[in-house]
Amino acid sequence: MLGSLSVKVQEFMPDRMKVQARLSRQSEEGWISPQDLSARVEVQNLFGTPAPQRRVEAQLTLSPAYPAFRSYPDYAFFDPLRAKEKFQDNLAASVSDAQGAVELPLGLQRYAHATYQLHLLVKAFEPEGGRSVAAEAAALVSDRPFLVGYKVDGDLGYINRNSLRVVSFIAIDSKAKKTGADKLALVRIERRVVSVLTK
């Protein structure tokens, strides 16, 4: 025998439910605070009526993120407390209420205070069998009141003698709007290559 192939054939069954997931706070551009953040899940039958008593499971993923914003494409932003690890957690399963709704606390206070890209995958299961429908929600989360970004007109890695570099700084709030920031310190670090002759 040269080879074999196994094929499983079953009748196509269209989805009989739909599910939506929304975070309790939204931001069109910017970030949202992780404090007491939750997700609201709405499970409906295919025709839009509430689907009660449906098991709902959710997986939370937090990934380290360098913030970037559409309104400031030339600026690089940095969080001094940027996360170094990725976290993934399965939230406690729940059941939709009479209105087909579920409130899922995300419990982000368990994780380090930093800037993360949050991704939430939600699955709602039919009463019989293991078939499910899924929805996703994503956002940039940070407990920073503001972030500082900079724009430079050339390479800072190497600067020719007697040449100039112009660096512009801005601070933005969680709505990605420019804001004032006090008590900031500017530190300039110069690295020089020194040639030394040794025997």
PDB file of all heavy atoms in Angstrom, residues 17-23 39-45 48 56 100-104 120-124 133-137:
ATOM      1  N   MET A  17     -26.769  30.763  16.482  1.00  0.00           N
ATOM      2  CA  MET A  17     -26.606  31.844  17.446  1.00  0.00           C
ATOM      3  C   MET A  17     -25.613  32.854  16.890  1.00  0.00           C
ATOM      4  O   MET A  17     -24.893  32.591  15.936  1.00  0.00           O
ATOM      5  CB  MET A  17     -26.063  31.312  18.783  1.00  0.00           C
ATOM      6  CG  MET A  17     -26.959  30.367  19.534  1.00  0.00           C
ATOM      7  SD  MET A  17     -26.273  30.055  21.195  1.00  0.00           S
ATOM      8  CE  MET A  17     -24.588  29.561  20.823  1.00  0.00           C
ATOM      9  N   LYS A  18     -25.578  34.017  17.527  1.00  0.00           N
ATOM     10  CA  LYS A  18     -24.535  35.009  17.276  1.00  0.00           C
ATOM     11  C   LYS A  18     -24.177  35.660  18.608  1.00  0.00           C
ATOM     12  O   LYS A  18     -24.991  35.694  19.543  1.00  0.00           O
ATOM     13  CB  LYS A  18     -24.991  36.049  16.260  1.00  0.00           C
ATOM     14  CG  LYS A  18     -26.290  36.765  16.602  1.00  0.00           C
ATOM     15  CD  LYS A  18     -26.702  37.688  15.467  1.00  0.00           C
ATOM     16  CE  LYS A  18     -28.039  38.365  15.758  1.00  0.00           C
ATOM     17  NZ  LYS A  18     -28.431  39.274  14.649  1.00  0.00           N
ATOM     18  N   VAL A  19     -22.944  36.127  18.692  1.00  0.00           N
ATOM     19  CA  VAL A  19     -22.455  36.659  19.957  1.00  0.00           C
ATOM     20  C   VAL A  19     -21.656  37.924  19.686  1.00  0.00           C
ATOM     21  O   VAL A  19     -20.986  38.057  18.661  1.00  0.00           O
ATOM     22  CB  VAL A  19     -21.589  35.607  20.701  1.00  0.00           C
ATOM     23  CG1 VAL A  19     -20.380  35.207  19.884  1.00  0.00           C
ATOM     24  CG2 VAL A  19     -21.160  36.118  22.067  1.00  0.00           C
ATOM     25  N   GLN A  20     -21.771  38.881  20.600  1.00  0.00           N
ATOM     26  CA  GLN A  20     -21.013  40.121  20.539  1.00  0.00           C
ATOM     27  C   GLN A  20     -20.269  40.307  21.858  1.00  0.00           C
ATOM     28  O   GLN A  20     -20.782  39.932  22.926  1.00  0.00           O
ATOM     29  CB  GLN A  20     -21.925  41.324  20.296  1.00  0.00           C
ATOM     30  CG  GLN A  20     -22.582  41.352  18.920  1.00  0.00           C
ATOM     31  CD  GLN A  20     -23.448  42.582  18.744  1.00  0.00           C
ATOM     32  OE1 GLN A  20     -23.941  43.158  19.710  1.00  0.00           O
ATOM     33  NE2 GLN A  20     -23.625  43.000  17.499  1.00  0.00           N
ATOM     34  N   ALA A  21     -19.081  40.896  21.773  1.00  0.00           N
ATOM     35  CA  ALA A  21     -18.290  41.179  22.980  1.00  0.00           C
ATOM     36  C   ALA A  21     -17.793  42.611  22.910  1.00  0.00           C
ATOM     37  O   ALA A  21     -17.208  43.024  21.900  1.00  0.00           O
ATOM     38  CB  ALA A  21     -17.115  40.205  23.088  1.00  0.00           C
ATOM     39  N   ARG A  22     -18.029  43.369  23.978  1.00  0.00           N
ATOM     40  CA  ARG A  22     -17.585  44.754  24.054  1.00  0.00           C
ATOM     41  C   ARG A  22     -16.942  44.998  25.417  1.00  0.00           C
ATOM     42  O   ARG A  22     -17.432  44.513  26.440  1.00  0.00           O
ATOM     43  CB  ARG A  22     -18.750  45.732  23.876  1.00  0.00           C
ATOM     44  CG  ARG A  22     -19.417  45.682  22.515  1.00  0.00           C
ATOM     45  CD  ARG A  22     -20.322  46.902  22.322  1.00  0.00           C
ATOM     46  NE  ARG A  22     -21.262  47.041  23.417  1.00  0.00           N
ATOM     47  CZ  ARG A  22     -22.450  46.458  23.458  1.00  0.00           C
ATOM     48  NH1 ARG A  22     -22.837  45.676  22.469  1.00  0.00           N
ATOM     49  NH2 ARG A  22     -23.257  46.642  24.492  1.00  0.00           N
ATOM     50  N   LEU A  23     -15.872  45.753  25.420  1.00  0.00           N
ATOM     51  CA  LEU A  23     -15.238  46.131  26.675  1.00  0.00           C
ATOM     52  C   LEU A  23     -16.051  47.241  27.332  1.00  0.00           C
ATOM     53  O   LEU A  23     -16.727  48.026  26.658  1.00  0.00           O
ATOM     54  CB  LEU A  23     -13.802  46.594  26.427  1.00  0.00           C
ATOM     55  CG  LEU A  23     -12.873  45.539  25.815  1.00  0.00           C
ATOM     56  CD1 LEU A  23     -11.510  46.140  25.500  1.00  0.00           C
ATOM     57  CD2 LEU A  23     -12.712  44.347  26.751  1.00  0.00           C
ATOM     58  N   ALA A  39     -15.849  42.962  30.430  1.00  0.00           N
ATOM     59  CA  ALA A  39     -16.384  42.768  29.081  1.00  0.00           C
ATOM     60  C   ALA A  39     -17.852  42.381  29.188  1.00  0.00           C
ATOM     61  O   ALA A  39     -18.222  41.579  30.048  1.00  0.00           O
ATOM     62  CB  ALA A  39     -15.606  41.689  28.330  1.00  0.00           C
ATOM     63  N   ARG A  40     -18.665  42.968  28.325  1.00  0.00           N
ATOM     64  CA  ARG A  40     -20.085  42.603  28.273  1.00  0.00           C
ATOM     65  C   ARG A  40     -20.307  41.754  27.029  1.00  0.00           C
ATOM     66  O   ARG A  40     -19.983  42.158  25.913  1.00  0.00           O
ATOM     67  CB  ARG A  40     -20.977  43.835  28.247  1.00  0.00           C
ATOM     68  CG  ARG A  40     -22.468  43.490  28.211  1.00  0.00           C
ATOM     69  CD  ARG A  40     -23.342  44.698  28.360  1.00  0.00           C
ATOM     70  NE  ARG A  40     -24.763  44.372  28.266  1.00  0.00           N
ATOM     71  CZ  ARG A  40     -25.499  43.886  29.246  1.00  0.00           C
ATOM     72  NH1 ARG A  40     -24.947  43.666  30.433  1.00  0.00           N
ATOM     73  NH2 ARG A  40     -26.791  43.619  29.079  1.00  0.00           N
ATOM     74  N   VAL A  41     -20.854  40.593  27.247  1.00  0.00           N
ATOM     75  CA  VAL A  41     -21.114  39.643  26.164  1.00  0.00           C
ATOM     76  C   VAL A  41     -22.621  39.522  25.982  1.00  0.00           C
ATOM     77  O   VAL A  41     -23.363  39.369  26.960  1.00  0.00           O
ATOM     78  CB  VAL A  41     -20.498  38.263  26.482  1.00  0.00           C
ATOM     79  CG1 VAL A  41     -20.789  37.279  25.359  1.00  0.00           C
ATOM     80  CG2 VAL A  41     -19.003  38.396  26.723  1.00  0.00           C
ATOM     81  N   GLU A  42     -23.071  39.604  24.749  1.00  0.00           N
ATOM     82  CA  GLU A  42     -24.492  39.449  24.426  1.00  0.00           C
ATOM     83  C   GLU A  42     -24.653  38.284  23.451  1.00  0.00           C
ATOM     84  O   GLU A  42     -24.075  38.295  22.361  1.00  0.00           O
ATOM     85  CB  GLU A  42     -25.054  40.736  23.827  1.00  0.00           C
ATOM     86  CG  GLU A  42     -25.058  41.904  24.805  1.00  0.00           C
ATOM     87  CD  GLU A  42     -25.646  43.159  24.212  1.00  0.00           C
ATOM     88  OE1 GLU A  42     -25.976  43.147  22.999  1.00  0.00           O
ATOM     89  OE2 GLU A  42     -25.777  44.156  24.942  1.00  0.00           O
ATOM     90  N   VAL A  43     -25.434  37.298  23.886  1.00  0.00           N
ATOM     91  CA  VAL A  43     -25.686  36.106  23.067  1.00  0.00           C
ATOM     92  C   VAL A  43     -27.118  36.173  22.553  1.00  0.00           C
ATOM     93  O   VAL A  43     -28.056  36.393  23.333  1.00  0.00           O
ATOM     94  CB  VAL A  43     -25.475  34.813  23.884  1.00  0.00           C
ATOM     95  CG1 VAL A  43     -25.563  33.599  22.965  1.00  0.00           C
ATOM     96  CG2 VAL A  43     -24.146  34.847  24.617  1.00  0.00           C
ATOM     97  N   GLN A  44     -27.261  36.003  21.247  1.00  0.00           N
ATOM     98  CA  GLN A  44     -28.588  36.063  20.629  1.00  0.00           C
ATOM     99  C   GLN A  44     -28.807  34.862  19.732  1.00  0.00           C
ATOM    100  O   GLN A  44     -27.857  34.246  19.234  1.00  0.00           O
ATOM    101  CB  GLN A  44     -28.732  37.339  19.785  1.00  0.00           C
ATOM    102  CG  GLN A  44     -28.651  38.630  20.585  1.00  0.00           C
ATOM    103  CD  GLN A  44     -28.783  39.853  19.694  1.00  0.00           C
ATOM    104  OE1 GLN A  44     -28.499  39.803  18.503  1.00  0.00           O
ATOM    105  NE2 GLN A  44     -29.206  40.960  20.272  1.00  0.00           N
ATOM    106  N   ASN A  45     -30.098  34.539  19.563  1.00  0.00           N
ATOM    107  CA  ASN A  45     -30.451  33.577  18.543  1.00  0.00           C
ATOM    108  C   ASN A  45     -30.255  34.232  17.180  1.00  0.00           C
ATOM    109  O   ASN A  45     -30.093  35.458  17.077  1.00  0.00           O
ATOM    110  CB  ASN A  45     -31.901  33.114  18.714  1.00  0.00           C
ATOM    111  CG  ASN A  45     -32.094  32.338  20.009  1.00  0.00           C
ATOM    112  OD1 ASN A  45     -31.385  31.365  20.269  1.00  0.00           O
ATOM    113  ND2 ASN A  45     -33.021  32.786  20.843  1.00  0.00           N
ATOM    114  N   GLY A  48     -32.089  37.429  16.358  1.00  0.00           N
ATOM    115  CA  GLY A  48     -31.936  38.621  17.174  1.00  0.00           C
ATOM    116  C   GLY A  48     -32.574  38.584  18.538  1.00  0.00           C
ATOM    117  O   GLY A  48     -32.479  39.554  19.290  1.00  0.00           O
ATOM    118  N   VAL A  56     -20.778  30.413  28.422  1.00  0.00           N
ATOM    119  CA  VAL A  56     -19.864  31.368  27.794  1.00  0.00           C
ATOM    120  C   VAL A  56     -18.465  31.170  28.378  1.00  0.00           C
ATOM    121  O   VAL A  56     -18.291  31.162  29.594  1.00  0.00           O
ATOM    122  CB  VAL A  56     -20.330  32.824  28.014  1.00  0.00           C
ATOM    123  CG1 VAL A  56     -19.294  33.808  27.477  1.00  0.00           C
ATOM    124  CG2 VAL A  56     -21.676  33.057  27.338  1.00  0.00           C
ATOM    125  N   GLY A 100     -29.774  37.203  27.686  1.00  0.00           N
ATOM    126  CA  GLY A 100     -28.684  36.716  26.865  1.00  0.00           C
ATOM    127  C   GLY A 100     -27.353  37.402  27.138  1.00  0.00           C
ATOM    128  O   GLY A 100     -26.437  37.316  26.328  1.00  0.00           O
ATOM    129  N   ALA A 101     -27.244  38.076  28.285  1.00  0.00           N
ATOM    130  CA  ALA A 101     -26.061  38.874  28.583  1.00  0.00           C
ATOM    131  C   ALA A 101     -25.199  38.217  29.655  1.00  0.00           C
ATOM    132  O   ALA A 101     -25.691  37.498  30.524  1.00  0.00           O
ATOM    133  CB  ALA A 101     -26.462  40.277  29.027  1.00  0.00           C
ATOM    134  N   VAL A 102     -23.898  38.507  29.581  1.00  0.00           N
ATOM    135  CA  VAL A 102     -22.933  38.046  30.579  1.00  0.00           C
ATOM    136  C   VAL A 102     -21.941  39.188  30.816  1.00  0.00           C
ATOM    137  O   VAL A 102     -21.471  39.812  29.865  1.00  0.00           O
ATOM    138  CB  VAL A 102     -22.163  36.796  30.103  1.00  0.00           C
ATOM    139  CG1 VAL A 102     -21.085  36.415  31.118  1.00  0.00           C
ATOM    140  CG2 VAL A 102     -23.100  35.625  29.884  1.00  0.00           C
ATOM    141  N   GLU A 103     -21.653  39.457  32.077  1.00  0.00           N
ATOM    142  CA  GLU A 103     -20.629  40.440  32.426  1.00  0.00           C
ATOM    143  C   GLU A 103     -19.400  39.675  32.914  1.00  0.00           C
ATOM    144  O   GLU A 103     -19.476  38.899  33.865  1.00  0.00           O
ATOM    145  CB  GLU A 103     -21.142  41.381  33.520  1.00  0.00           C
ATOM    146  CG  GLU A 103     -20.288  42.613  33.721  1.00  0.00           C
ATOM    147  CD  GLU A 103     -20.524  43.681  32.670  1.00  0.00           C
ATOM    148  OE1 GLU A 103     -21.589  43.636  32.002  1.00  0.00           O
ATOM    149  OE2 GLU A 103     -19.653  44.549  32.516  1.00  0.00           O
ATOM    150  N   LEU A 104     -18.263  39.906  32.253  1.00  0.00           N
ATOM    151  CA  LEU A 104     -17.038  39.173  32.575  1.00  0.00           C
ATOM    152  C   LEU A 104     -16.006  40.123  33.165  1.00  0.00           C
ATOM    153  O   LEU A 104     -15.419  40.939  32.432  1.00  0.00           O
ATOM    154  CB  LEU A 104     -16.461  38.517  31.316  1.00  0.00           C
ATOM    155  CG  LEU A 104     -17.308  37.450  30.624  1.00  0.00           C
ATOM    156  CD1 LEU A 104     -16.617  37.011  29.334  1.00  0.00           C
ATOM    157  CD2 LEU A 104     -17.533  36.261  31.534  1.00  0.00           C
ATOM    158  N   LEU A 120      -9.336  39.638  23.636  1.00  0.00           N
ATOM    159  CA  LEU A 120     -10.305  38.779  24.318  1.00  0.00           C
ATOM    160  C   LEU A 120     -11.054  37.947  23.280  1.00  0.00           C
ATOM    161  O   LEU A 120     -11.646  38.494  22.346  1.00  0.00           O
ATOM    162  CB  LEU A 120     -11.296  39.630  25.120  1.00  0.00           C
ATOM    163  CG  LEU A 120     -12.318  38.861  25.967  1.00  0.00           C
ATOM    164  CD1 LEU A 120     -11.624  38.158  27.133  1.00  0.00           C
ATOM    165  CD2 LEU A 120     -13.406  39.795  26.488  1.00  0.00           C
ATOM    166  N   LEU A 121     -11.009  36.628  23.450  1.00  0.00           N
ATOM    167  CA  LEU A 121     -11.736  35.698  22.588  1.00  0.00           C
ATOM    168  C   LEU A 121     -12.859  35.079  23.405  1.00  0.00           C
ATOM    169  O   LEU A 121     -12.610  34.456  24.443  1.00  0.00           O
ATOM    170  CB  LEU A 121     -10.805  34.612  22.057  1.00  0.00           C
ATOM    171  CG  LEU A 121     -11.466  33.478  21.259  1.00  0.00           C
ATOM    172  CD1 LEU A 121     -12.115  34.021  19.987  1.00  0.00           C
ATOM    173  CD2 LEU A 121     -10.461  32.386  20.924  1.00  0.00           C
ATOM    174  N   VAL A 122     -14.090  35.265  22.946  1.00  0.00           N
ATOM    175  CA  VAL A 122     -15.274  34.788  23.665  1.00  0.00           C
ATOM    176  C   VAL A 122     -15.987  33.732  22.828  1.00  0.00           C
ATOM    177  O   VAL A 122     -16.145  33.900  21.612  1.00  0.00           O
ATOM    178  CB  VAL A 122     -16.242  35.955  23.965  1.00  0.00           C
ATOM    179  CG1 VAL A 122     -17.526  35.437  24.599  1.00  0.00           C
ATOM    180  CG2 VAL A 122     -15.577  36.985  24.876  1.00  0.00           C
ATOM    181  N   LYS A 123     -16.406  32.652  23.475  1.00  0.00           N
ATOM    182  CA  LYS A 123     -17.168  31.608  22.810  1.00  0.00           C
ATOM    183  C   LYS A 123     -18.462  31.357  23.566  1.00  0.00           C
ATOM    184  O   LYS A 123     -18.456  31.240  24.796  1.00  0.00           O
ATOM    185  CB  LYS A 123     -16.366  30.307  22.721  1.00  0.00           C
ATOM    186  CG  LYS A 123     -15.143  30.377  21.818  1.00  0.00           C
ATOM    187  CD  LYS A 123     -14.431  29.031  21.752  1.00  0.00           C
ATOM    188  CE  LYS A 123     -13.222  29.088  20.836  1.00  0.00           C
ATOM    189  NZ  LYS A 123     -12.531  27.773  20.764  1.00  0.00           N
ATOM    190  N   ALA A 124     -19.556  31.280  22.826  1.00  0.00           N
ATOM    191  CA  ALA A 124     -20.863  30.949  23.398  1.00  0.00           C
ATOM    192  C   ALA A 124     -21.304  29.604  22.811  1.00  0.00           C
ATOM    193  O   ALA A 124     -21.253  29.410  21.590  1.00  0.00           O
ATOM    194  CB  ALA A 124     -21.883  32.033  23.087  1.00  0.00           C
ATOM    195  N   VAL A 133     -20.183  29.671  18.828  1.00  0.00           N
ATOM    196  CA  VAL A 133     -19.895  30.832  17.988  1.00  0.00           C
ATOM    197  C   VAL A 133     -18.947  31.719  18.785  1.00  0.00           C
ATOM    198  O   VAL A 133     -18.906  31.673  20.021  1.00  0.00           O
ATOM    199  CB  VAL A 133     -21.175  31.593  17.596  1.00  0.00           C
ATOM    200  CG1 VAL A 133     -22.010  30.768  16.635  1.00  0.00           C
ATOM    201  CG2 VAL A 133     -21.996  31.961  18.823  1.00  0.00           C
ATOM    202  N   ALA A 134     -18.172  32.541  18.092  1.00  0.00           N
ATOM    203  CA  ALA A 134     -17.115  33.295  18.761  1.00  0.00           C
ATOM    204  C   ALA A 134     -17.174  34.769  18.392  1.00  0.00           C
ATOM    205  O   ALA A 134     -17.707  35.163  17.346  1.00  0.00           O
ATOM    206  CB  ALA A 134     -15.742  32.712  18.407  1.00  0.00           C
ATOM    207  N   ALA A 135     -16.619  35.584  19.289  1.00  0.00           N
ATOM    208  CA  ALA A 135     -16.468  37.024  19.056  1.00  0.00           C
ATOM    209  C   ALA A 135     -15.163  37.457  19.705  1.00  0.00           C
ATOM    210  O   ALA A 135     -14.643  36.793  20.603  1.00  0.00           O
ATOM    211  CB  ALA A 135     -17.643  37.800  19.636  1.00  0.00           C
ATOM    212  N   GLU A 136     -14.636  38.579  19.244  1.00  0.00           N
ATOM    213  CA  GLU A 136     -13.369  39.083  19.760  1.00  0.00           C
ATOM    214  C   GLU A 136     -13.481  40.554  20.120  1.00  0.00           C
ATOM    215  O   GLU A 136     -14.313  41.286  19.560  1.00  0.00           O
ATOM    216  CB  GLU A 136     -12.249  38.905  18.719  1.00  0.00           C
ATOM    217  CG  GLU A 136     -11.948  37.462  18.376  1.00  0.00           C
ATOM    218  CD  GLU A 136     -10.902  37.353  17.271  1.00  0.00           C
ATOM    219  OE1 GLU A 136     -11.173  37.858  16.170  1.00  0.00           O
ATOM    220  OE2 GLU A 136      -9.836  36.771  17.522  1.00  0.00           O
ATOM    221  N   ALA A 137     -12.636  40.972  21.041  1.00  0.00           N
ATOM    222  CA  ALA A 137     -12.507  42.388  21.396  1.00  0.00           C
ATOM    223  C   ALA A 137     -11.036  42.652  21.673  1.00  0.00           C
ATOM    224  O   ALA A 137     -10.325  41.780  22.186  1.00  0.00           O
ATOM    225  CB  ALA A 137     -13.359  42.734  22.617  1.00  0.00           C
TER     226      ALA A 137
END
